[in-house]
Amino acid sequence: MRRIDLLRHGESQWSNGYLRGSIDDELSVLGWAQMSASIQSQLEQGCPWQAVFSSPLQRCRLFAEDVAKQQQRALYLDPNLQEIHFGDWEGESTQALYDRIPSQLAEFWQQPTQFTPPNGEPLLVFQQRVLSAIQHIHQQMVQSNLQHALVVTHGGVIKLLKTIALAQPLDRLLSMSAELGQLHHFELDVDAALYYQGIAK
């Protein structure tokens, strides 16, 4: 079994109620502190990660670059680790969408496999690319003989992987928890199948 720890980015400019899947917004000072606090106990025991993988969006990438540099670890950027793209809803607040198109928003929250925001990324396409990213991470770990890696990514990615690892219906994805700056432990078997091990304490 190989271990990957998925760190969600912290608070960013658009965190407060806005859908910003592909928007490349910056971390706030609080967001950086949230991420630092989540990995602090791991670093205090000696950095466990042998490599760092990250979404290229700056709310993930800049922190990943800092960790990789400070701990002298290899950094791999993968666009397949980016957040789901919300199409015409990008940059919209959920409150504005609720006020304007409540039934569509409800459909998306309740059955994301059946409803895609206009010009957005279908959930099954998102699932395919995220699983492709995990397969690539696993391959890189095998090739480089790595046992433990840090993955800096987004809430939707973590929720999707939790849903899969816990064998839950895909429509339950949006009810999964993945708080800002939170670190989640997963294990990968030889076939890159996922097992969820919980939140870092």
Side-chain angles (χ1 to χ4, degrees):
M1 301 290 280
R2 298 175 195 271
R3 182 163 172 174
I4 55 172
D5 292 338
L6 271 68
L7 176 65
R8 186 184 178 187
H9 66 80
E11 181 191 79
S12 62
Q13 291 174 318
W14 290 74
S15 283
N16 296 319
Y18 288 86
L19 300 176
R20 79 288 190 205
S22 298
I23 294 175
D24 199 10
D25 58 335
E26 297 179 34
L27 284 174
S28 66
V29 173
L30 174 60
W32 192 281
Q34 289 169 328
M35 298 171 80
S36 297
S38 286
I39 68 169
Q40 189 58 41
S41 64
Q42 312 291 319
L43 296 179
E44 286 174 354
Q45 300 168 40
C47 180
W49 305 299
Q50 297 163 296
V52 180
F53 296 83
S54 178
S55 159
L57 296 183
Q58 64 177 328
R59 59 187 183 269
C60 297
R61 174 179 54 81
L62 294 180
F63 188 85
E65 288 175 345
D66 187 69
V67 172
K69 181 179 179 181
Q70 294 292 332
Q71 303 301 324
Q72 299 183 321
R73 300 294 190 260
L75 173 64
Y76 303 90
L77 299 179
D78 189 343
N80 284 331
L81 289 170
Q82 289 185 192
E83 183 61 278
I84 193 169
H85 180 63
F86 292 105
D88 294 352
W89 290 4
E90 291 271 320
E92 292 259 24
S93 71
T94 51
Q95 184 60 53
L97 291 170
Y98 179 77
D99 291 341
R100 191 170 74 250
I101 45 171
S103 61
Q104 290 184 39
L105 185 62
E107 278 188 84
F108 179 62
W109 290 136
Q110 293 164 15
Q111 288 191 301
T113 60
Q114 303 300 314
F115 181 87
T116 301
N119 298 308
E121 181 178 20
L123 181 56
L124 294 180
V125 174
F126 176 60
Q127 178 188 33
Q128 184 177 22
R129 73 166 167 88
V130 171
L131 289 178
S132 176
I134 296 302
Q135 188 69 42
H136 176 261
I137 289 170
H138 183 258
Q139 290 171 353
Q140 187 64 51
M141 293 179 75
V142 170
Q143 290 170 7
S144 302
N145 195 27
L146 307 176
Q147 297 299 319
H148 199 169
L150 176 66
V151 181
V152 187
T153 187
H154 305 267
V157 173
I158 295 171
K159 290 179 180 185
L160 173 68
L161 295 177
K162 283 180 67 175
T163 301
I164 293 169
L166 296 172
Q168 294 296 306
L170 201 52
D171 278 325
R172 290 205 58 197
L173 179 148
L174 295 173
S175 67
M176 290 288 169
S177 64
E179 302 298 327
L180 291 168
Q182 201 170 62
L183 187 68
H184 297 259
H185 301 307
F186 289 81
E187 287 186 345
L188 292 169
D189 68 15
V190 294
D191 297 316
L194 284 161
Y195 299 88
Y196 183 60
Q197 303 297 313
I199 299 167
K201 301 301 184 182

